[in-house]
Amino acid sequence: MSLETLNEQVKTDLSYLAYGGRDWVRPLNHPEGHVYDVVIVGGGQSGLGTAFGLLRERVSNILVIDENSEGLEGPWETYARMVTLRTPKHLTSIDLGVPSLTFRSWWEEQFGPESWEEIDKIPRGDWMNYLRWYRNVLNLPVINEVKLGLVEPVEEGIHRLHIEGAGAPSNTLLARKVILATGIQGGGEWHVPPMIADKLPAHLYAHTSETIDFGMLKGKKIAILGGGASAFDNANFALSEGVAEAHVFVRRKEMPRINPIRQMEGSGMIERFHALVDADKYAAIAHFFKHNQPPTNDTFERATSWSGFHLHLGAPWLDVEARGNGAVVTTPQGTFSFDFLIVSTGLLTDPALRPELKLVESHIARWGDRYDAPTEVANPVLDAHPYLSPGFAFVSRDESGCKSLHGLFAFNYSALISCGISASALSGMRFGIPKLVSAVADQLFLDDRDKILTNFFAYNEVEFVGEWPVNV
C-alpha cells in the first residue's frame, strides 16, 4: 500500500494545529555569519523528535547534523542486532501526540490494521524505515556526514561548532543552543575491560557497538561477555549468520529476570521523575543499574533454540590471552578456547570522555559534586554522570563556568540520573522531548528578555477603530 494517503493526513493534522507559524525568536547578527537558534547533534530518533518539537514551538532557525550517511542514523542498521525492538509496540514516542505520525499509523497504512494486531513487537528494520519516513514527511532540516569535533564557547549565548565530514557546509557553525542528541554512547564511551584491551590484538575481539564481519566468523567458535539483552542479541545474530558456537558468559549465578523499565512505564516514574529529590533519583537509578536489562523472553528462547548456543552462569572472565590464532578465556569454571570474542559490557559515562566537550567539561557539574550518596548505594559510575537541570541543560560546578555552559543540553544517555530514562529509551521520548524543547525555548526567550519586553511596552498598533457617540 502507498503512504501518500497518510502523508496527506499528516499535513492536514498539522495544519489543524497551526504547525509552522511565524518564528518569535529574534535573529542574531554575527560577523562570522549565520547564527542558528539551535543545532541538534544527532539525527536519530532523539534528534528528529526534538527538531519536530522545536518547529511546533515556532523555533525554525534550527539544524540537525549527523555523522552517518542518510538513512543510517542511530544504531538500527549498524550495531543493533536484535530482531525486534524491546519496547512494547503500543507505546508512543516521537509522534508527540499526533496520531498520524505514530508508528502504528505508518504500519497500518502499509500492512493493514489486522497486521498490527498480529505483530508482538516492532521489527528493527521497520523502525528504521519509519524514522526515514518521519524525517521526510516532516521535511526536517537534517544534513548528513557531518561530525562535531569541538564545541567552543565564543561569548555568552553563542557557541562555535567545529565540524568535519563530506556533508559539512563549512568548517564551523554558530549556534545559540546546542543539543547533544547523541544516543546511548553520547555521554561517554563504550567500555572494553583493560584485561581484554591491553592483552589481545584488535583482530581477536570487538565491542558490540562496533562493526563485526560475521561472514569471517562462519563455522567459528565465539564467546560473548555479558548477560544483558545486547549479549543475547549478538549471540542470535552470530548464529543466524553461520557461527558454529556462541558462548555467553554471565558473571551472575542467575540470569537477571526483572526489567525495571516495565514498572516505570505504568507508574508515573518516567514522566514525573524530575519531581523526585536527588536522594530518590540516585537510589532509583542505582536500583536500575543493579538489575540491568535482561533479554526479552522471545530473544532468550530464540537463543536457546540454537544447537550451537551455550550459556555459562557464574562465569566472570578472570583472564584472557592470545594463543595461536585465537583467544583463551579463563573463568571459575575452567579454561575455554575461542576464535573471536565479543564484548557486551556497556559503557562509561563522563563528560571528560567526550572530545567535543574538552573546552568545557571541567566546568560541568557531576553527580559526585552535588550529592553525597550513602555507602549502600554509592557508585563511582553514577557519580561521574553530569548533573543536569530538569530541562537537560548542563549545570556549572561554579560561577566561572556558567557563561561557557549556557545553551548546552545533553539529551542522551548521560541524562539518566538527572532526568530518568526520558532521553535514553523510547518509553520516555514523549515525556522528555517536550521538557527539553520547553527548556530550550525558555532560554531563548529569557536571553532576549530585554528586547522582547521593550517591544511589548512600546507596542501601539491600533486594533479597535470604531466610533461611538459622546454623551452631552
Side-chain angles (χ1 to χ4, degrees):
M1 298 174 65
S2 171
L3 286 170
E4 291 180 6
T5 302
L6 181 59
N7 294 347
E8 290 302 316
Q9 185 62 53
V10 169
K11 293 177 183 177
T12 300
D13 291 347
L14 293 180
S15 71
Y16 284 5
L17 297 173
Y19 175 77
R22 183 169 61 91
D23 268 21
W24 56 267
V25 185
R26 179 176 63 93
L28 287 187
N29 295 317
H30 195 276
E32 290 187 27
H34 183 77
V35 180
Y36 288 98
D37 292 327
V38 185
V39 169
I40 301 166
V41 184
Q45 58 198 24
S46 296
L48 296 179
T50 299
F52 176 47
L54 287 167
L55 292 171
R56 286 187 66 173
E57 289 289 329
R58 296 187 291 121
V59 179
S60 66
N61 178 26
I62 66 175
L63 183 67
V64 183
I65 62 174
D66 193 279
E67 64 185 340
N68 300 293
S69 301
E70 183 172 349
L72 297 178
E73 303 86 0
W76 310 112
E77 296 283 355
T78 52
Y79 65 84
R81 300 184 177 104
M82 70 280 282
V83 175
T84 65
L85 304 193
R86 301 173 191 132
T87 311
K89 68 177 183 180
H90 64 272
L91 294 180
T92 57
S93 55
I94 58 174
D95 53 86
L96 302 186
V98 179
S100 57
L101 279 174
T102 60
F103 178 86
R104 179 174 179 175
S105 289
W106 178 86
W107 180 275
E108 290 188 353
E109 183 65 24
Q110 298 172 96
F111 309 114
E114 297 82 7
S115 177
W116 175 256
E117 297 301 326
E118 292 170 358
I119 65 169
D120 178 43
K121 293 185 178 71
I122 296 172
R124 171 172 55 87
D126 288 298
W127 179 253
M128 187 67 232
N129 286 332
Y130 163 74
L131 294 178
R132 294 171 180 136
W133 168 80
Y134 178 98
R135 167 180 169 171
N136 290 330
V137 76
L138 292 173
N139 193 29
L140 298 176
V142 185
I143 56 174
N144 288 88
E145 298 183 56
V146 179
K147 181 179 176 62
L148 172 65
L150 184 68
V151 176
E152 178 189 3
V154 179
E155 55 195 75
E156 185 175 12
I158 297 182
H159 300 274
R160 183 184 294 118
L161 306 184
H162 296 260
I163 58 174
E164 59 186 14
S170 60
N171 293 325
T172 59
L173 299 170
L174 295 179
R176 299 179 66 181
K177 310 299 171 190
V178 181
I179 299 172
L180 301 176
T182 41
I184 190 169
Q185 78 278 18
E189 65 182 16
W190 296 107
H191 176 59
V192 176
M195 175 181 66
I196 299 171
D198 295 345
K199 298 186 68 175
L200 293 184
H203 71 273
L204 287 181
Y205 73 93
H207 193 277
T208 54
S209 64
E210 298 178 70
T211 299
I212 300 174
D213 185 356
F214 285 96
M216 296 291 292
L217 298 177
K218 283 187 177 181
K220 304 289 187 179
K221 181 180 176 182
I222 69 169
I224 302 172
L225 175 62
S230 180
F232 286 82
D233 291 337
N234 277 267
N236 274 316
F237 191 88
L239 290 164
S240 72
E241 293 290 304
V243 167
E245 294 183 26
H247 293 246
V248 173
F249 289 83
V250 182
R251 171 176 49 83
R252 307 177 194 220
K253 294 182 179 179
E254 294 185 4
M255 279 293 299
R257 297 176 182 271
I258 298 170
N259 185 349
I261 295 179
R262 297 291 87 86
Q263 193 278 339
M264 297 169 82
E265 287 165 348
S267 66
M269 279 277 287
I270 295 179
E271 55 265 49
R272 303 267 76 87
F273 190 87
H274 63 279
L276 295 173
V277 299
D278 285 355
D280 290 338
K281 288 181 178 181
Y282 194 99
I285 301 304
H287 179 78
F288 180 85
F289 274 29
K290 181 178 71 174
H291 280 287
N292 204 344
Q293 186 174 14
T296 58
N297 287 327
D298 56 312
T299 298
F300 184 80
E301 291 168 3
R302 191 177 297 116
T304 55
S305 70
W306 295 96
S307 60
F309 177 81
H310 302 271
L311 177 62
H312 304 263
L313 296 173
W317 289 5
L318 304 177
D319 189 30
V320 299
E321 62 176 303
R323 186 178 301 175
N325 295 322
V328 174
V329 173
T330 300
T331 79
Q333 300 174 0
T335 300
F336 303 83
S337 297
F338 297 101
D339 298 297
F340 193 76
L341 310 181
I342 296 178
V343 183
S344 183
T345 48
L347 69 157
L348 295 175
T349 295
D350 188 337
L353 298 173
R354 302 304 307 175
E356 67 271 19
L357 295 177
K358 70 178 182 180
L359 297 182
V360 298
E361 69 83 12
S362 62
H363 296 300
I364 295 173
R366 274 67 156 184
W367 267 82
D369 299 322
R370 295 300 185 96
Y371 178 65
D372 187 14
T375 303
E376 60 269 21
V377 295
N379 184 336
V381 174
L382 272 66
D383 292 340
H385 282 64
Y387 187 94
L388 304 175
S389 77
F392 301 91
F394 284 115
V395 175
S396 182
R397 279 173 163 157
D398 49 49
E399 189 65 29
S400 65
C402 290
K403 291 183 178 181
S404 296
L405 294 178
H406 184 71
L408 299 182
F409 296 80
F411 195 65
N412 54 35
Y413 199 73
S414 71
L416 186 62
I417 307 177
S418 298
C419 305
I421 66 169
S422 52
S424 55
L426 277 177
S427 306
M429 290 285 171
R430 65 190 177 113
F431 307 113
I433 290 173
K435 289 186 178 71
L436 169 68
V437 167
S438 180
V440 171
D442 284 351
Q443 265 201 21
L444 287 167
F445 178 81
L446 293 175
D447 288 349
D448 291 344
R449 166 189 172 275
D450 292 345
K451 183 66 174 177
I452 290 171
L453 289 178
T454 296
N455 291 341
F456 172 73
F457 292 128
Y459 179 79
N460 63 356
E461 287 188 23
V462 175
E463 184 169 329
F464 178 72
V465 294
E467 296 182 1
W468 62 95
V470 177
N471 293 327
V472 295

